[in-house]
Amino acid sequence: MAKFLRALEAFFTNYIEGLFNKGKTAGLQPVELAKELVKEMENQRSVGVENIYVPNHYTVFLTPPDYERITPYGQTIADEIAAYLAKQANQRGYVMQGRPKVEFMSDAKLQQGQFRFASRFTVVSPSENLAEKSRDLSETKVYKKLASLEAARKSVPLTGMITVVEGLDAGLKTDVGVDRVNIGRREGNELPLTDMNTSRLHAYIVFEEGAHVIYDARSLNGTYVNGHRITRKKLCNGDRIKVGNSLILYEVN
């Protein structure tokens, strides 16, 4: 994430010099918008039976002066941020219908330096869906995706394990690597629990930027790490995860 943001920031610095310049405006930067839109995506995620869904359409409302400054480069910036959102959704294991769309609009009610978002789930038209599938089935795209996945697997610097140490499923364990690990009562989970105080999909662990990160999947009773309720938490060796009445130990191999 940090690497992508640095590249995105460098692009804006080199080619859009002066846009949202902190010395001339209230300090709004396109990179800030990208970070805030990820938060918006997280806040608006919806947990289904099998997947977690996130909005695929985002509208950014800017002050008229900021909107005027962004207009000449608006589509370029929107495409860059949309690609970033798609990458972040993929890393977190979220489902996004089609490619995300980002658009900018002017809002005269906003004060200098302010901005706001609106996100929604939109239906992808059959023609858009067909075009998306055609792109995904191209030889180059498939090769790149497979090569990228294989490279990620070979370069993983750590592997871990989670073990239920307290609760009805004490002794149950599973490995944690680059693949997503789902935790909860659903039978298909990588760590399927019988604890009735857990949700079907209670929490999940993903591999992000060299570390395992646990996310609460909007569970009813919450997810706790070392006694603190979390929505997202980078795991460290020895961390204790509590879901329902089950206590799970995370260890690095």
Side-chain angles (χ1 to χ4, degrees):
M1 177 175 175
K3 183 178 179 181
F4 183 90
L5 285 175
R6 286 196 297 271
L8 187 61
E9 194 165 21
F11 172 83
F12 293 138
T13 300
N14 293 333
Y15 299 102
I16 316 177
E17 184 175 1
L19 179 63
F20 300 136
N21 185 284
K22 289 190 176 183
K24 298 178 181 179
T25 70
L28 180 62
Q29 294 286 338
V31 173
E32 293 177 44
L33 297 178
K35 293 178 181 178
E36 292 299 323
L37 278 172
V38 171
K39 294 179 183 178
E40 172 72 8
M41 178 180 72
E42 287 280 359
N43 291 335
Q44 299 304 321
R45 65 188 189 276
S46 177
V47 180
V49 176
E50 297 292 336
N51 299 296
I52 297 178
Y53 301 91
V54 291
N56 59 342
H57 192 286
Y58 299 83
T59 303
V60 182
F61 294 92
L62 304 170
T63 63
D66 281 339
Y67 179 76
E68 289 300 320
R69 272 186 291 274
I70 205 173
T71 298
Y73 310 96
Q75 192 58 56
T76 300
I77 295 174
D79 290 344
E80 291 283 343
I81 294 177
Y84 177 61
L85 288 173
K87 179 179 179 181
Q88 292 302 309
N90 183 60
Q91 287 182 349
R92 290 163 168 76
Y94 297 155
V95 174
M96 184 181 285
Q97 181 69 17
R99 292 176 180 268
K101 180 179 179 181
V102 176
E103 62 179 353
F104 297 103
M105 295 188 70
S106 177
D107 185 350
K109 296 180 181 179
L110 293 173
Q111 298 180 4
Q112 185 179 22
Q114 290 184 331
F115 56 88
R116 66 182 179 88
F117 301 126
S119 59
R120 64 181 186 273
F121 295 83
T122 60
V123 179
V124 178
S125 69
S127 59
E128 288 179 308
N129 198 38
L130 181 61
E132 180 74 17
K133 289 181 178 179
S134 298
R135 281 193 292 268
D136 288 342
L137 290 174
S138 70
E139 211 171 295
T140 303
K141 287 283 186 181
V142 171
Y143 171 78
K144 285 183 178 179
K145 287 180 180 178
L146 292 176
S148 176
L149 179 59
E150 185 63 25
R153 293 182 186 277
K154 290 181 178 179
S155 64
V156 175
L158 85 162
T159 56
M161 177 177 290
I162 52 175
T163 306
V164 181
V165 294
E166 290 183 18
L168 295 174
D169 303 290
L172 184 67
K173 61 179 65 177
T174 190
D175 293 326
V176 184
V178 295
D179 296 323
R180 171 169 159 163
V181 174
N182 294 319
I183 303 169
R185 287 189 295 105
R186 191 176 63 193
E187 289 186 6
N189 290 336
E190 284 66 31
L191 192 71
L193 302 174
T194 57
D195 183 352
M196 294 305 294
N197 287 301
T198 61
S199 301
R200 283 175 53 79
L201 176 58
H202 195 105
Y204 57 94
I205 298 173
V206 294
F207 183 75
E208 291 181 0
E209 299 179 2
H212 291 128
V213 180
I214 186 168
Y215 286 86
D216 177 71
R218 286 193 172 182
S219 61
L220 181 62
N221 295 320
T223 300
Y224 297 79
V225 176
N226 300 328
H228 300 284
R229 186 163 184 168
I230 60 95
T231 54
R232 177 187 184 277
K233 177 73 168 62
K234 178 180 176 181
L235 291 172
C236 298
N237 188 36
D239 278 349
R240 290 176 174 264
I241 305 161
K242 184 172 177 60
V243 295
N245 292 328
S246 301
L247 188 63
I248 302 168
L249 175 65
Y250 167 77
E251 296 175 291
V252 175
N253 296 338

